Amino acid sequence: MKFYFFLLILIITHTSILAQDSIATHEKLNNKFNEVIESSNRYQEYRVIEIDKINKLKKEVTTTVEDQDIEINNLNKRIEDQVIQIQELNDQMEASKIDIAALEKGQDSMELLGIQLEKSMYNIILWSIIGILTLLLISFIYKFKNSNTLTSTAQEQLAQIEEEYENYRRNALEKEQRLNRQLLDAKKANK
């Protein structure tokens, strides 16, 4: 928008400068015509102008018109160049807008497993995964502690049962040995 404003000011300024040049040239030619008319002789109500003065005036007018034509052609060429430049700048501006839009989209999105996602969706997925993994970790820790507690309790009970079994075996062995001695003593007494 600023560019168009700048271009408008440039064209207006250039036009006003050309208008001033055109006005100065117009006044100069007007003065030359007045000078030729005033320096001419009168014959009744007519004016007689010397040929060399009219030829000189014609040459100046022709030169001025040719100069104006050249200047008009130059100005038209400059206008065409500026129009081309404006079009190029507009194309560059459109390309820049497209690049900016792509960059903004790139900033607002992330790629996950080859899929382009918006940042908010990416954050939701990421935090969901973190939450699920945290819940699984807490569940495994709870199960491990529970299993560890059960294992410790089972080992203590096993140790108690083994101790009781050992005591029972010892008592049974002692009882068997006592019975064997009594049996031997009874056999010795019966012999």
Side-chain angles (χ1 to χ4, degrees):
M1 192 66 176
K2 289 181 181 179
F3 175 74
Y4 291 122
F5 182 71
F6 175 73
L7 185 61
L8 181 64
I9 289 175
L10 181 69
I11 290 172
I12 290 171
T13 306
H14 190 67
T15 306
S16 66
I17 291 171
L18 290 177
Q20 289 174 359
D21 287 346
S22 177
I23 291 170
T25 304
H26 181 67
E27 287 178 6
K28 183 178 174 185
L29 285 176
N30 202 16
N31 289 340
K32 294 246 182 200
F33 273 110
N34 288 337
E35 190 178 301
V36 168
I37 290 171
E38 288 177 11
S39 67
S40 64
N41 296 323
R42 289 185 176 222
Y43 175 74
Q44 297 175 358
E45 50 187 75
Y46 301 105
R47 293 237 180 214
V48 177
I49 303 173
E50 295 176 14
I51 296 254
D52 62 332
K53 287 185 180 179
I54 195 114
N55 285 338
K56 186 177 178 185
L57 180 63
K58 178 183 172 187
K59 185 177 180 182
E60 286 182 26
V61 169
T62 306
T63 306
T64 304
V65 169
E66 287 173 356
D67 290 345
Q68 291 292 325
D69 285 342
I70 291 171
E71 188 173 344
I72 288 171
N73 289 335
N74 289 340
L75 291 174
N76 285 336
K77 176 69 174 143
R78 283 182 64 189
I79 289 172
E80 289 174 9
D81 291 344
Q82 288 177 349
V83 167
I84 291 170
Q85 185 179 11
I86 288 170
Q87 186 59 41
E88 289 174 355
L89 291 173
N90 284 338
D91 293 343
Q92 288 176 0
M93 188 170 65
E94 288 300 319
S96 296
K97 284 180 182 178
I98 291 170
D99 290 343
I100 288 170
L103 288 174
E104 286 175 351
K105 184 178 180 184
Q107 283 181 335
D108 292 340
S109 63
M110 298 188 83
E111 191 170 316
L112 178 67
L113 302 174
I115 301 170
Q116 198 72 15
L117 298 172
E118 290 185 19
K119 280 188 176 180
S120 59
M121 183 59 78
Y122 175 80
N123 284 337
I124 290 171
I125 291 172
L126 180 69
W127 286 107
S128 297
I129 291 171
I130 290 172
I132 290 169
L133 289 176
T134 303
L135 289 174
L136 287 173
L137 178 64
I138 291 170
S139 173
F140 286 135
I141 289 173
Y142 173 75
K143 286 183 178 183
F144 175 77
K145 284 189 174 185
N146 194 19
S147 297
N148 195 22
T149 304
L150 290 175
T151 304
S152 297
T153 305
Q155 285 177 345
E156 288 174 9
Q157 289 176 352
L158 179 64
Q160 287 175 351
I161 290 173
E162 284 179 352
E163 190 178 322
E164 287 176 10
Y165 176 71
E166 192 59 38
N167 286 338
Y168 172 75
R169 195 174 64 83
R170 207 176 315 125
N171 288 340
L173 189 59
E174 286 176 9
K175 193 175 186 183
E176 185 182 331
Q177 286 175 352
R178 214 177 324 136
L179 284 175
N180 279 340
R181 279 189 206 141
Q182 287 176 356
L183 183 60
L184 281 175
D185 287 340
K187 277 187 184 180
K188 279 186 188 181
N190 281 341
K191 269 196 196 189

